[in-house]
Amino acid sequence: PVGERGERMADRKQQLLVVAAHPGDFVWRSAGVLAAAVVDGGDARVVCLSYGARGESGELWKEEGQTLDNVKRIRDEEAREAASVLGASFSCFDLDDYPIRITPEVEDGLVDAILEFAPTNLITHAREDPFNPDHPAAFHAANQARMLSGGAGVASAFPRVSPPQMLLFEPHQPEVCAFTPDLFVDITQVFELKVKAMDAMGAQTYLKQYYLERAQQRANHARRISGRKDIDYAEAFQRLLPDVVSTL
């Protein structure tokens, strides 16, 4: 596909844009692909809808006298440190969480982010999650912004970019979230960076071991599928859109 500026998408360096509900989401589920893109000379940006201050910061609320503003401050510092480790930028709309409610201003902001960055890949949550109302909200907001920034599929009278591939990262419990992975990414060479990014998420230290094990499990699947023996760690994704290629 050829973009508005005549760029062949296949020849471009990877530009990954993550739209996440909470700060930890991009670390647990896509830190490896973000780091790999940057190491390969690409660019990575993370946009969070909220700081997860109310429902995703359990360790911080154990401190006596804790306040919402302080939790948000700490979560911002954690997220920026994690993003820095990966070579990515970080920004947050600072919406309330549980539930996240998407405002027109946020929708417009996501469209502007896509138009300005023109990502090759837009990464966000699975469309279903019966245990977390914020994750589907992030999916629908990101998908709406994708459609609007692409001119709803046709050349239109407003600015547009070539549609990015949309990838859904793995939910915590994929079997109940209609998540069927069709893309495994080898993150072995950058896994130490993912570990450092996970270490930065002090408000959710209890999730680190789970995602260490998940990366090993997905590597096992990737080895069986590909026949490659050198994959020690992998991340799983589901494509929302079909790939378009010239040859198989």
Side-chain angles (χ1 to χ4, degrees):
V2 179
E4 289 295 298
R5 292 160 294 182
E7 299 162 318
R8 290 188 58 79
M9 297 293 287
D11 297 334
R12 290 175 58 191
K13 286 291 187 181
Q14 291 293 298
Q15 294 185 187
L16 308 187
L17 177 63
V18 176
V19 177
H22 320 105
D25 296 328
F26 80 90
V27 176
W28 315 124
R29 302 178 174 98
S30 62
V33 297
L34 296 178
V38 173
V39 167
D40 194 41
D43 198 356
R45 300 186 183 184
V46 177
V47 176
C48 278
L49 299 180
S50 81
Y51 285 114
R54 300 200 300 185
E56 303 258 323
S57 304
E59 295 300 307
L60 299 178
W61 287 107
K62 294 177 182 178
E63 299 177 13
E64 186 176 353
Q66 187 63 272
T67 66
L68 182 62
D69 286 344
N70 192 52
V71 169
K72 288 183 177 182
R73 178 188 62 79
I74 294 172
R75 291 292 272 167
D76 183 75
E77 291 175 354
E78 291 179 351
R80 291 184 187 280
E81 180 181 350
S84 177
V85 166
L86 305 173
S89 66
F90 173 83
S91 62
C92 184
F93 282 101
D94 192 14
L95 300 178
D96 287 337
D97 59 303
Y98 290 92
I100 286 176
R101 294 187 172 92
I102 306 301
T103 65
E105 291 76 18
V106 170
E107 187 175 277
D108 290 344
L110 290 175
V111 171
D112 288 343
I114 295 174
L115 290 175
E116 188 273 328
F117 187 44
T120 56
N121 294 277
L122 175 60
I123 304 172
T124 192
H125 295 268
R127 69 174 75 221
E128 297 180 25
D129 192 331
F131 299 111
N132 193 314
D134 290 354
H135 293 171
F139 165 82
H140 289 292
N143 193 36
Q144 176 82 340
R146 176 192 63 81
M147 290 188 287
L148 292 174
S149 62
V154 298
S156 303
F158 46 82
R160 60 186 294 272
V161 295
S162 293
Q165 175 58 268
M166 190 163 179
L167 301 174
L168 312 181
F169 48 41
E170 183 167 13
H172 192 75
Q173 295 177 283
E175 66 278 4
V176 295
C177 296
F179 178 84
T180 303
D182 56 17
L183 178 66
F184 292 90
V185 181
D186 175 15
I187 61 168
T188 305
Q189 298 303 313
V190 295
F191 191 67
E192 289 186 5
L193 293 175
K194 177 164 183 168
V195 172
K196 288 182 65 176
M198 290 194 292
D199 286 340
M201 307 309 292
Q204 294 177 290
T205 55
Y206 49 88
L207 288 175
K208 179 181 175 180
Q209 186 60 36
Y210 178 91
Y211 283 99
L212 286 171
E213 294 174 1
R214 178 58 72 181
Q216 293 172 321
Q217 293 163 353
R218 289 311 190 185
N220 177 279
H221 300 159
R223 288 194 299 270
R224 292 177 61 87
I225 292 168
S226 66
R228 288 178 49 188
K229 306 300 183 184
D230 61 335
I231 302 176
D232 296 323
Y233 303 99
E235 289 174 340
F237 298 86
Q238 181 177 349
R239 294 181 179 93
L240 184 69
L241 305 170
D243 272 347
V244 179
V245 299
S246 298
T247 58
L248 292 179

